[in-house]
Amino acid sequence: EAGVAQSPRYKIIEKRQSVAFWCNPISGHATLYWYQQILGQGPKLLIQFQNNGVVDDSQLPKDRFSAERLKGVDSTLKIQPAKLEDSAVYLCASSIQGNQPQHFGDGTRLSIL
Amino acid sequence: AQSVSQHNHHVILSEAASLELGCNYSYGGTVNLFWYVQYPGQHLQLLLKYFSGDPLVKGIKGFEAEFIKSKFSFNLRKPSVQWSDTAEYFCAVLDFSGNTGKLIFGQGTTLQVKP
């Protein structure tokens, strides 16, 4: 079974620039998650999709972060404009349904200069 | 809201030593508990999970964890560690306090095994 695919693996941008991350979940997984993992901390959920609908975005900084999963399969997460504190690894995960174990991608390491 | 605390931030052991990593969550009720591992340069992988039933859960690579409801704990154990167990370990709980389950992670424990 192919795993969760994410791209790019690394991204370096200057503050106030925009950036987008892409995620393709495991085939058949209805639930997709985006996490932010700051160095030295555990992953923190940003947004959770069930198919193409948002079920939890309570911790997403909506003034600068946005995410979509238009066709219920792959997803993009965007930051516009980026701040220094956004430097982190952004992880995508998927599960068959919301209460089942999540499978994680390799993540995108974002550095803000 | 649920929170998860991992007691040890950095653990250094010699090969063949026994391992126990502490994990506590903040409140009771129905809980689904997980341990994830992240080997250097790799993605997070599920080590083991507890949903219900036998509180002693066995996972991959000889790891096990014990759910103790009265202590709100889910500690990870391995009788004899190997150099290849060097990794970061995350405890997580599925929080059902909202409309849907949300995975809450601890801050992680870095395990370094010396050959």
Side-chain angles (χ1 to χ4, degrees), chain A residues 16-68:
Chain A
R16 290 188 290 273
Q17 285 188 320
S18 304
V19 65
F21 314 124
W22 174 83
C23 172
N24 192 4
I26 292 172
S27 178
H29 282 198
T31 313
L32 184 147
Y33 314 79
W34 283 102
Y35 290 86
Q36 179 191 60
Q37 186 177 13
I38 293 172
L39 189 64
Q41 299 180 20
K44 183 187 82 171
L45 181 69
L46 293 175
I47 188 166
Q48 177 180 342
F49 292 93
Q50 180 72 19
N51 298 309
N52 61 345
V54 175
V55 295
D56 189 337
D57 63 357
S58 57
Q59 297 190 93
L60 187 73
K62 298 180 188 61
D63 57 333
R64 297 182 301 106
F65 286 65
S66 64
E68 59 184 15

